[in-house]
C-alpha cells in the first residue's frame, strides 16, 4: 500500500471495547498516555483517536480514510460516508443501543404531541429537531453537555432524549421512557474517495471481515465430546452446527469424537441433555473468530 490507511478509533466509552474487538481480530492497538495516535501492529494502518460524535465528519472530509462510530452520530452530522459494515457491540452489551425520550414518572406528558412548546435536553440536537419537525410538533431542543437525566430532575428541561442500553440510569433518576427515537449501533465507515482506492478498499474489507468474524465468534463456542456408536445418531440429531458436526472414529474402539459449534447461550441447557443421552468427556472452548 502506497500510503497507510488512516483509521479512526472512537474515544470514550467505546474505546476499550473497540480495542478489545481489534485484538480478537488480530490487531494489537497500544494506547499510551495522552497520545491520540496509538501504535498498531500493522504497517498498513495508522490509527487516530477521536470522539465518536466527530468521527463521521473527519471521515467525510477525508482527514480520516475510515473509522468506527455510531449510526446515531452519522445521522446527527448528516455525513456523506460509505457504511462498510454494521458492528453490533458496545461497552455494556452485544445489542443495539436506543435513543429514547424520557420524562419524570409523575409528568403530565403522556405522548409525543404533549411536548408541544416544551423543552428537551439532549446531545443529539439536530436529529431530535428533525424528528419532531417531521411530526409537526414544535419543541425547543437544547444541547446537553452531560448528566442529561439531571436536567429534568432539576427542572431545566421537560424531557430528555438520551441513549441507553439497559435503562438503569434512566430509572435511577426517576424517569420513564415515553418513546423510542432510534436504534443505533457501531458502524465501520469509509470516505468515498478512499473506498475507490483499490488498495485501501482491500484493507478496509479485510478489517470488516475479521471484525465481523470476531463478533460472530464471541457468540459461539466449540463443543467436543466422545460418543458411543449406539448413541451416535441420537447425539448428532441433538447438535446444532454451522453445517454439520464433525465425527471421527476413536482408535480401535466403537466410539467416536464429535465436534461442533453452537451458540453460547444454549450450552447450559444442551450439555446436561448430551450427558443423559450418552455423551462423555464434553469439552467446551471459546472461539476467537468465525469467518
Amino acid at each position: 500500500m502506497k500510503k497507510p490507511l488512516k483509521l479512526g478509533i472512537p474515544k470514550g466509552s467505546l474505546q476499550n471495547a473497540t480495542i478489545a474487538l481489534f485484538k480478537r481480530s488480530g490487531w494489537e492497538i497500544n494506547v499510551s498516555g495522552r497520545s491520540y495516535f496509538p501504535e498498531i501492529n500493522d504497517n498498513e494502518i495508522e490509527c487516530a483517536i477521536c470522539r465518536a460524535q466527530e468521527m463521521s465528519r473527519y471521515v467525510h472530509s477525508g482527514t480520516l480514510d475510515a473509522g468506527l462510530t455510531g449510526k446515531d452520530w452519522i445521522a446527527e452530522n448528516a455525513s456523506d460516508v460509505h457504511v462498510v459494515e454494521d458492528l453490533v457491540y458496545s461497552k455494556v452489551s452485544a445489542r443495539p443501543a436506543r435513543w429514547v425520550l424520557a420524562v419524570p414518572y409523575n409528568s403530565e406528558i403522556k405522548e409525543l404531541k404533549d411536548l408541544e412548546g416544551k423543552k428537551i435536553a439532549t446531545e443529539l440536537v439536530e436529529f431530535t429537531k428533525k424528528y419532531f419537525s417531521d411530526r409537526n410538533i414544535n419543541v425547543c431542543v437544547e444541547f446537553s453537555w452531560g448528566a442529561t437525566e439531571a436536567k429534568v430532575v432539576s427542572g431545566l428541561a421537560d424531557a430528555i432524549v438520551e441513549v441507553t442500553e439497559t435503562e438503569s440510569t434512566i430509572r435511577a433518576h426517576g424517569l420513564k421512557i415515553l418513546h423510542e427515537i432510534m436504534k443505533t449501533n457501531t458502524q465501520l465507515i469509509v470516505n468515498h474517495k478512499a473506498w475507490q482506492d483499490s488498495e485501501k478498499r482491500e484493507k478496509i474489507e479485510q478489517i470488516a471481515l475479521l471484525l465481523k468474524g470476531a463478533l460472530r465468534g464471541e457468540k459461539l463456542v466449540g463443543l467436543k465430546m466422545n460418543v458411543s456408536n449406539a448413541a451416535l445418531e441420537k447425539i448428532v440429531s441433538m447438535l446444532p452446527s454451522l453445517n454439520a458436526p464433525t465425527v471421527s472414529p476413536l482408535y480401535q474402539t466403537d466410539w467416536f469424537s464429535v465436534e461442533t459449534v453452537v451458540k453460547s447461550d444454549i450450552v447450559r441447557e444442551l450439555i446436561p441433555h448430551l450427558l443423559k443421552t450418552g455423551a462423555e468427556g464434553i469439552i467446551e472452548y471459546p472461539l476467537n473468530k468465525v469467518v
Side-chain angles (χ1 to χ4, degrees):
M1 188 181 293
K2 296 175 184 177
K3 292 184 178 180
L5 179 78
K6 294 178 289 185
L7 178 67
I9 304 297
K11 180 180 174 62
S13 61
L14 269 181
Q15 180 175 316
N16 290 339
T18 300
I19 291 173
L21 177 60
F22 269 86
K23 185 174 183 178
R24 295 200 306 276
S25 304
W27 286 281
E28 294 275 354
I29 299 175
N30 181 26
V31 181
S32 57
R34 295 180 176 272
S35 173
Y36 284 88
F37 303 97
E39 297 178 356
I40 184 170
N41 61 339
D42 189 329
N43 293 330
E44 295 182 340
I45 301 175
E46 288 182 353
C47 288
I49 291 179
C50 68
R51 297 174 75 237
Q53 293 90 328
E54 301 173 312
M55 186 74 71
S56 65
R57 293 206 301 266
Y58 289 129
V59 173
H60 169 81
S61 68
T63 303
L64 296 171
D65 294 315
L68 293 100
T69 189
K71 177 182 176 182
D72 45 0
W73 299 117
I74 299 171
E76 173 72 0
N77 296 318
S79 300
D80 182 17
V81 294
H82 178 74
V83 177
V84 182
E85 194 67 73
D86 280 318
L87 302 167
V88 183
Y89 74 97
S90 69
K91 61 178 180 177
V92 176
S93 61
R95 61 186 178 188
R98 300 181 299 145
W99 281 90
V100 297
L101 176 79
V103 297
Y105 273 105
N106 60 355
S107 173
E108 295 180 355
I109 300 169
K110 305 299 180 185
E111 51 186 323
L112 288 182
K113 67 180 182 180
D114 295 337
L115 284 158
E116 178 73 31
K118 303 294 186 181
K119 185 184 295 184
I120 300 174
T122 184
E123 193 176 356
L124 200 71
V125 173
E126 297 305 318
F127 185 88
T128 302
K129 285 181 179 178
K130 185 177 185 304
Y131 190 88
F132 281 92
S133 176
D134 289 346
R135 288 155 181 78
N136 296 314
I137 302 172
N138 296 311
V139 294
C140 174
V141 181
E142 292 189 347
F143 180 77
S144 173
W145 291 95
T148 306
E149 293 87 355
K151 301 292 193 305
V152 175
V153 177
S154 59
L156 297 176
D158 301 293
I160 64 168
V161 169
E162 181 65 316
V163 67
T164 182
E165 292 179 33
T166 64
E167 302 179 15
S168 57
T169 303
I170 289 176
R171 290 195 300 267
H173 283 81
L175 307 180
K176 63 180 178 180
I177 293 174
L178 196 65
H179 188 75
E180 181 179 298
I181 301 294
M182 73 179 297
K183 282 188 172 70
T184 183
N185 58 274
T186 306
Q187 296 184 323
L188 175 60
I189 59 174
V190 59
N191 173 273
H192 287 293
K193 185 176 179 180
W195 191 241
Q196 297 304 317
D197 183 309
S198 59
E199 289 185 337
K200 288 186 177 181
R201 181 168 182 159
E202 184 178 358
K203 192 66 181 180
I204 292 164
E205 288 176 335
Q206 177 199 17
I207 293 170
L209 175 71
L210 296 180
L211 291 181
K212 197 75 172 180
L215 286 172
R216 192 180 187 193
E218 195 175 40
K219 298 176 183 178
L220 300 168
V221 295
L223 282 182
K224 192 171 185 177
M225 67 207 76
N226 294 330
V227 181
S228 68
N229 183 54
L232 182 62
E233 289 303 320
K234 194 166 184 180
I235 290 288
V236 168
S237 70
M238 296 170 59
L239 293 174
S241 63
L242 295 178
N243 290 306
T246 300
V247 180
S248 305
L250 296 180
Y251 182 63
Q252 293 185 345
T253 71
D254 61 351
W255 282 68
F256 295 85
S257 172
V258 178
E259 191 166 5
T260 191
V261 173
V262 301
K263 291 182 179 179
S264 57
D265 58 2
I266 70 168
V267 171
R268 64 186 182 191
E269 305 292 338
L270 182 59
I271 287 180
H273 290 304
L274 291 172
L275 289 171
K276 289 177 183 177
T277 310
E280 295 183 6
I282 300 175
I283 298 171
E284 177 188 341
Y285 53 91
L287 303 173
N288 209 41
K289 288 185 286 290
V290 177
V291 180

